[in-house]
Amino acid sequence: MDRPDATFTLAYMVFALCFVFTPNEFRSAGLTVQHMFSEWLGSEDISFIHHHIRRTTLTVLFHCFLPLGYYIGMCFAVQEQNLVYIHHASQGWQIYFGLSLAIQLLSCALAFYWSRRGWANHPICRALNTHALPRSSWRAVASSINTEFRRIDKFASGSTSARVIVTDTWVMKVTTYSLHVALHQDCHLTVTDSKHHSLSPELNTPVQIVTITVASINPAVKPFDIRLKSTEYVELQEKLHAPIRNATNVVIHLTMSELFLETFKSYVRLNEVHRCPSGQELEPCIGCMQVNANVKLVRLCQGDGEGECQQCYCRPMWCLTCMGKWFASRQDQQQPETWLSSRVPCPTCRAKFCILDVCPIP
């Protein structure tokens, strides 16, 4: 890519997307609003509400600056177009500069409006005001939340841009631009959806993400969704005062072994199918005795004499579920990221096999 404008455009687009959605690499490098302005934002542990009031305001300002930042960068990337002198630029660039400058000025005006009357106009403060008692204000609610957030027994889960926090009194969701707040005693939590991922972004382990809708009986509080790993579901239940309804009968896998079993099944279904010899009848699985055996161990992952896997000569005696449970039970429970690539002995003859050697029987 020889054109400097195209190179800069592509690089800036990647940077802007990463700055807005903040992948782990950007967080590790400290390229976040929360890290770069940590001194002005103050400590989240000491003043949780005021920290997020300032954070959301700065985030809006910087995200709105990105279009104007692109124009400023192009002034240096393609100096021959004289973009520094706006009256010399083409009409298209003039329109772009005007729009990006207008966006920036509007964000500054919005930030100034939010800061008036001691930040009382900020959306977070207005949301807290709906929970204030008569003759009280959002500051009393903020003080209560700040106090409870400092306690070590709170529930916290999720990334910086979508964090779930549950204290003794409050259910909160921290997002990039806002903070959702609901009282325990006023809200109903309902499991509405779940998604199973074979591999999580952080670790080489399966993960199930459960979506829970938080709806308050207070009409001024809008419903919001929280998402967390299924393995954190029990911890969340223990922190709440009311049960979580499962209206759609979502199956929640509470342990790593249950999550791994679903991943094990999905990988085995992709393996080569084993055709039994004609006339051979499949007997019930000796593990559960509920269904017929439907998997056969066949060494397919490597050639003869290579690797640790061995050929199993046992006839089909196990179903897919029981084989998956056996595979999970032989793993190091402290290192779930190694489960998919590990090898275990056959439950009958002890010949070592891996997931690639488990062949489904049609």
Side-chain angles (χ1 to χ4, degrees), residues 70-92:
Y70 173 71
Y71 183 89
I72 295 174
M74 288 294 288
C75 291
F76 297 94
V78 286
Q79 299 182 12
E80 63 276 7
Q81 294 190 24
N82 289 326
L83 297 180
V84 176
Y85 305 100
I86 188 62
H87 56 282
H88 290 161
S90 64
Q91 185 179 9

Side-chain angles (χ1 to χ4, degrees), residues 19 33 54-64 176-177:
F19 189 74
V33 172
R54 298 188 184 101
R55 178 192 62 81
T56 52
T57 304
L58 268 182
T59 300
V60 169
L61 288 173
F62 272 85
H63 288 183
C64 289
T176 303
Y177 303 112

Side-chain angles (χ1 to χ4, degrees), residues 68-351:
L68 184 59
Y70 173 71
Y71 183 89
I72 295 174
M74 288 294 288
C75 291
F76 297 94
V78 286
Q79 299 182 12
E80 63 276 7
Q81 294 190 24
N82 289 326
L83 297 180
V84 176
Y85 305 100
I86 188 62
H87 56 282
H88 290 161
S90 64
Q91 185 179 9
W93 278 114
Q94 289 178 349
I95 294 174
Y96 177 85
F97 176 78
L99 290 174
S100 58
L101 183 61
I103 292 173
Q104 185 63 51
L105 292 176
L106 284 174
S107 67
C108 292
L110 181 63
F112 177 77
Y113 170 72
W114 284 351
S115 67
R116 302 295 293 167
R117 299 189 300 136
W119 296 101
N121 296 326
H122 196 282
I124 292 178
C125 300
R126 294 204 301 269
L128 297 182
N129 208 38
T130 62
H131 299 287
L133 297 174
R135 298 182 182 180
S136 183
S137 69
W138 66 270
R139 289 182 173 83
V141 181
S143 178
S144 171
I145 294 175
N146 291 341
T147 300
E148 293 190 9
F149 183 80
R150 286 193 288 268
R151 297 172 184 168
I152 61 174
D153 61 342
K154 63 181 178 291
F155 171 84
S157 172
S159 61
T160 306
S161 58
R163 195 152 51 116
V164 179
I165 300 169
V166 181
T167 64
D168 294 335
T169 309
W170 305 94
V171 179
M172 297 177 286
K173 177 184 177 182
V174 178
T175 64
T176 303
Y177 303 112
S178 63
L179 173 68
H180 300 279
V181 181
L183 269 171
H184 278 209
Q185 61 188 26
D186 291 345
C187 62
H188 301 285
L189 285 80
T190 306
V191 177
T192 56
D193 189 24
S194 73
K195 292 184 178 179
H196 187 274
H197 302 277
S198 298
L199 297 176
S200 66
E202 296 85 6
L203 298 171
N204 188 28
T205 56
V207 61
Q208 181 188 20
I209 304 298
V210 180
T211 301
I212 301 174
T213 299
V214 181
S216 176
I217 61 176
N218 186 342
V221 179
K222 296 181 179 180
F224 57 92
D225 292 337
I226 59 176
R227 292 176 176 84
L228 67 155
K229 298 176 182 177
S230 60
T231 52
E232 300 170 323
Y233 184 79
V234 173
E235 185 181 353
L236 174 65
Q237 279 186 314
E238 293 174 350
K239 193 63 182 175
L240 294 169
H241 301 322
I244 304 175
R245 296 181 297 178
N246 195 339
T248 55
N249 296 322
V250 173
V251 178
I252 301 175
H253 303 293
L254 303 179
T255 66
M256 183 58 68
S257 296
E258 291 176 347
L259 284 171
F260 176 79
L261 182 58
E262 293 300 313
T263 303
F264 181 88
K265 290 180 179 179
S266 65
Y267 275 89
V268 169
R269 292 188 183 104
L270 299 176
N271 291 345
E272 181 180 326
V273 174
H274 175 75
R275 303 284 179 180
C276 293
S278 59
Q280 180 179 357
E281 295 185 0
L282 296 175
E283 300 177 356
C285 168
I286 64 174
C288 64
M289 300 299 291
Q290 300 297 316
V291 298
N292 287 340
N294 53 22
V295 293
K296 174 74 170 72
L297 298 181
V298 181
R299 188 186 185 198
L300 298 174
C301 61
Q302 295 165 321
D304 294 337
E306 298 179 3
E308 300 179 19
C309 291
Q310 301 168 335
Q311 180 61 50
C312 172
Y313 296 98
C314 300
R315 70 179 190 276
M317 292 186 292
W318 298 84
C319 69
L320 178 56
T321 300
C322 289
M323 186 64 76
K325 290 179 179 179
W326 166 261
F327 199 97
S329 68
R330 307 295 294 180
Q331 305 303 318
D332 183 352
Q333 302 300 312
Q334 304 302 319
Q335 294 183 318
E337 66 276 5
T338 65
W339 290 12
L340 288 174
S341 59
S342 65
R343 292 168 174 80
V344 302
C346 166
T348 307
C349 71
R350 304 304 178 184

